[in-house]
Amino acid sequence: MIIGSIALRGVLDQYQRAGASLVELQLFELATAAATAITKERRPLELALSVDPEDAGDLQTELKAARNDADRAIARFRARVEAEKLQEGMNFNFLTALLREERRGADALLALPLEARQVSLQLRVARGMSAISQAYVPFVDKAAQRVIEADESLAGRVNVARLLGALYESATRLPSEVMPALKRSEVIPPEAVMTSMRVQQRILALWDVGVSQLEFGFDSPQLRQAHEDIRAIYFGKGFPFLTRAIETYSRRPLNATERGDRISEVYAPTTLPILRMRNLYVDAMMKEAVAIQESTLLQMKLVVFLTGLILVMTAIATWVLYRQMLRPLFGLRDQILALCERRPLSRRRYEGSVLAVRSLYKALETLETRDHQRMVLEQERAELAEKLRTLSETDELTGLPNRRGLFARLDGLGEQGRDYVAILGDIDHFKAVNDTYGHGPGDEVLAAFSACLRKRAGEDIVVARYGGEEFAIVVRSDGLEMALAFAEELRGEVEGLAVRTTAGTIRITASFGLAHQGGPVASWQALFSIADRALYDAKAAGRNRVRLSNATLATLGPAAQPGGGTAARRDEAAA
């Protein structure tokens, strides 16, 4: 009787877990449907933005229908959440207010004539709609977490459904960054190209992580066909088609707006297999939960019937039952808890013959594998973000920090209470070098000049390419005379430099402007602006010389005034 009661309780727990998971899966389905509706609202809006208001009647109707669908989907999800009192972590008021605000901005732009809809304004609207999708992600995550809490074995499949939803959103977002420029027959802005590249990398990363999980999903012909459709239609046709278009038209404009319409017509249908795959995954999970309920209900009836037979079972049969089911289930529970709490996992191999328990152990192995894959993905994302940050702060030609990298290194440096000298150096007549010898030798001259600066960089000296042929140097100096001598020494070295290029040997000179700041530096940009005026003075005085800013000269006294200091004596000698 005791063993029968335990077995009945186990089946009852499984039945209740299946019922609870079915309820939570229905909530998850409502959440994903709302996410899809929000994403689908984006395409008619972007199409309407590319045509004149008087020609956008059908698109306006389609946009209105899409908005109504999104509102209804959100309302259904919200009603279910409020009925079950699950509002914690789901701020629907904020979501609807944000959606209403973005729609108001989109409608304001739609009211403008086509020629007044700048690409930047269209990008802002598109990114605003993308922000709505991102703001909705916690709602889906909350619903997914409830499914996992109801049945841990569904964690992998729910995460696959979430991954497919993220993949569909990213695939739909990809043309949003470039279509405004394509529709207007303009070159795609660099910022939009960079954003689209990040979206492409996210799509590829999501697919690389999810492809192995997709292949080991439900044993369903529909799922397998949807999987093949994603490979063949989206990644075989739509994705490479759009990426080639982005690469092509980021360098030159379209020949006609119709080409942009063609891109939109070809790409949009290729994203549908991703959505179909996600919906199939959710439907399959719900069907499986229903099947489990029916199965466990039958098992409960069977257990009740067999309880009378269990009374006559021998101690050996009891021990066999314990070894085959109860002890493995308890061990499985401990392993699941250890995995959830990230404690060292003691892997126990199931040696029994009960298929249900064996499938649970296999599900645990799948869960552990996917959790490991998620951790690896997070680490790869962090490494990729660091690489992108380094690339964005480094000048490709010279290897020196660019202007952004310079200010990143100077951030907080000026608060140390030390004296600093900002120096701006500019290669004299560099345009003539490019005009005479070509840009290739010109780049070699820039590289040679940057090499002179790089070998002086150190703990107290920061060098960077400020822009074009202009370079920035920041020197920590306890005395301005030392910085002035440093700049003069550098000027002399450049004057004696013979750059061997593919066009022959080129000799160059450079001019330098200095600005000094005592104590904490309030604004590096302001200090460089003063140095830039000093550099302009050096150029105006004949080039190939060093100039202090007027503000710095005023702090040095009569010895450094024109006619009384080193800079003045060198100017007289040059004259």
Side-chain angles (χ1 to χ4, degrees):
M1 182 64 70
I2 294 174
I3 295 175
S5 300
I6 294 175
L8 181 61
R9 180 177 180 179
V11 176
L12 181 61
D13 288 343
Q14 188 178 4
Y15 178 81
Q16 292 174 342
R17 185 164 59 250
S21 65
L22 180 60
V23 172
E24 300 304 339
L25 280 170
Q26 292 170 347
L27 181 67
F28 180 68
E29 183 183 31
L30 291 175
T32 56
T36 301
I38 293 173
T39 301
K40 286 184 175 180
E41 184 179 331
R42 186 182 306 157
R43 184 169 186 266
L45 172 61
E46 294 170 357
L47 293 175
L49 287 173
S50 65
V51 299
D52 287 314
E54 57 271 15
D55 299 330
D58 294 340
L59 292 174
Q60 290 279 15
T61 302
E62 184 180 350
L63 175 61
K64 184 177 180 181
R67 288 179 173 177
N68 290 336
D69 290 342
D71 292 339
R72 284 193 294 268
I74 294 174
R76 287 194 296 269
F77 179 47
R78 182 174 187 173
R80 183 66 176 269
V81 168
E82 292 176 349
E84 298 185 13
K85 299 182 179 355
L86 305 175
Q87 296 93 326
E88 183 179 357
M90 298 185 185
N91 191 343
F92 283 95
N93 292 331
F94 171 76
L95 178 67
T96 54
L98 186 61
L99 184 59
R100 186 168 53 250
E101 183 65 25
E102 292 298 336
R103 288 174 175 174
R104 187 182 296 115
D107 291 339
L109 187 59
L110 286 170
L112 297 177
L114 180 60
E115 59 273 9
R117 300 173 189 168
Q118 301 176 5
V119 172
S120 59
L121 296 178
Q122 295 188 46
L123 284 175
R124 185 168 62 185
V125 169
R127 290 168 181 170
M129 294 306 298
S130 298
I132 297 294
S133 296
Q134 293 300 318
Y136 188 73
V137 169
F139 292 74
V140 179
D141 291 345
K142 181 73 173 179
Q145 184 61 37
R146 291 187 60 84
V147 175
I148 296 172
E149 291 174 357
D151 190 348
E152 295 91 342
S153 66
L154 293 176
R157 295 168 180 176
V158 169
N159 287 332
V160 169
R162 292 166 63 191
L163 182 146
L164 289 169
L167 182 61
Y168 176 70
E169 194 280 332
S170 298
T172 307
R173 180 186 175 190
L174 180 58
S176 301
E177 293 292 332
V178 298
M179 289 308 295
L182 297 182
K183 291 285 188 179
R184 296 174 67 92
S185 299
E186 297 180 5
V187 175
I188 303 174
E191 178 192 3
V193 174
M194 291 298 296
T195 304
S196 68
M197 291 177 64
R198 288 193 291 269
V199 176
Q200 293 173 39
Q201 292 170 355
R202 173 174 169 78
I203 291 173
L204 293 175
L206 288 171
W207 182 247
D208 288 342
V209 171
V211 64
S212 60
Q213 302 177 26
L214 294 175
E215 292 174 350
F216 295 97
F218 296 91
D219 186 13
S220 166
Q222 290 181 318
L223 284 170
R224 288 197 298 271
Q225 183 59 48
H227 185 199
E228 292 302 320
D229 288 344
I230 294 175
R231 287 181 180 273
I233 297 176
Y234 182 71
F235 285 100
K237 178 181 177 182
F239 183 76
F241 176 79
L242 185 55
T243 53
R244 284 195 301 269
I246 294 172
E247 181 179 359
T248 301
Y249 300 119
S250 62
R251 298 190 295 268
R252 63 177 185 273
L254 289 168
N255 295 327
T257 304
E258 289 75 10
R259 182 61 177 165
D261 296 335
R262 172 63 179 161
I263 292 174
S264 178
E265 293 172 0
V266 171
Y267 178 78
T270 64
T271 62
L272 296 180
I274 303 175
L275 179 60
R276 184 164 60 252
M277 183 73 174
R278 197 276 308 277
N279 293 338
L280 286 172
Y281 245 91
V282 177
D283 291 342
M285 285 189 290
M286 295 180 65
K287 290 179 181 178
E288 186 179 64
V290 172
I292 292 176
Q293 269 196 315
E294 295 175 352
S295 174
T296 52
L297 181 60
L298 181 61
Q299 291 179 35
M300 283 192 293
K301 295 178 180 180
L302 184 61
V303 168
V304 171
F305 174 75
L306 293 178
T307 301
L309 298 178
I310 296 176
L311 295 175
V312 299
M313 292 179 64
T314 63
I316 298 176
T318 303
W319 175 245
V320 171
L321 181 63
Y322 172 75
R323 287 180 57 85
Q324 289 286 323
M325 292 189 63
L326 297 181
R327 188 169 68 179
L329 286 175
F330 292 150
L332 183 65
R333 179 200 61 187
D334 294 339
Q335 293 181 69
I336 292 175
L337 291 175
L339 181 61
C340 294
E341 298 171 2
R342 297 292 174 85
R343 291 188 279 108
L345 183 62
S346 177
R347 172 63 63 194
R348 300 176 185 174
R349 184 178 178 183
Y350 179 64
E351 301 292 346
S353 59
V354 180
L355 296 180
V357 179
R358 182 175 297 172
S359 66
L360 288 177
Y361 271 78
K362 291 182 179 179
L364 176 62
E365 293 176 1
T366 301
L367 177 62
E368 181 185 6
T369 300
R370 292 174 181 173
D371 184 69
H372 176 70
Q373 291 173 345
R374 183 185 63 80
M375 295 176 63
V376 171
L377 177 60
E378 291 176 354
Q379 182 178 0
E380 290 176 350
R381 286 177 178 170
E383 293 173 355
L384 179 59
E386 179 62 23
K387 290 180 181 178
L388 290 175
R389 185 194 66 79
T390 302
L391 289 175
S392 69
E393 295 180 357
T394 305
D395 179 61
E396 182 179 2
L397 174 63
T398 63
L400 294 175
N402 57 20
R403 185 178 299 196
R404 178 186 294 177
L406 171 66
F407 287 112
R409 285 163 174 76
L410 295 180
D411 187 23
L413 191 64
E415 301 175 2
Q416 298 177 2
R418 311 294 293 271
D419 289 355
Y420 291 89
V421 175
I423 304 174
L424 280 180
D426 187 278
I427 300 175
D428 297 328
H429 302 295
F430 183 74
K431 184 177 183 301
V433 173
N434 277 337
D435 293 342
T436 302
Y437 300 99
H439 289 280
D443 289 345
E444 294 176 63
V445 169
L446 288 174
F449 184 75
S450 65
C452 292
L453 301 181
R454 188 186 298 106
K455 66 185 181 181
R456 287 174 167 77
E459 182 179 356
D460 296 332
I461 300 176
V462 179
V463 299
R465 186 178 181 184
Y466 203 67
E469 68 272 20
E470 198 171 48
F471 292 79
I473 310 168
V474 175
V475 180
R476 182 177 62 81
S477 174
D478 295 329
L480 184 59
E481 292 78 9
M482 185 275 286
L484 187 61
F486 170 85
E488 185 62 30
E489 179 185 350
L490 181 58
R491 183 206 62 78
E493 181 177 344
V494 173
E495 183 179 17
L497 186 65
V499 183
R500 292 185 177 87
T501 70
T502 55
T505 301
I506 301 175
R507 304 192 71 89
I508 60 172
T509 61
S511 302
F512 297 87
L514 281 71
H516 174 257
Q517 176 83 46
V521 178
S523 172
W524 286 107
Q525 292 183 345
L527 189 60
F528 276 112
S529 296
I530 297 173
D532 187 63
R533 290 195 293 270
L535 175 60
Y536 178 80
D537 292 340
K539 292 281 190 179
R543 294 183 170 83
N544 191 24
R545 61 196 64 223
V546 178
R547 272 287 184 271
L548 294 172
S549 67
N550 291 334
T552 304
L553 286 170
T555 64
L556 297 180
Q561 299 299 323
T566 303
R569 288 195 298 272
R570 204 181 66 75
D571 286 348
E572 292 172 0

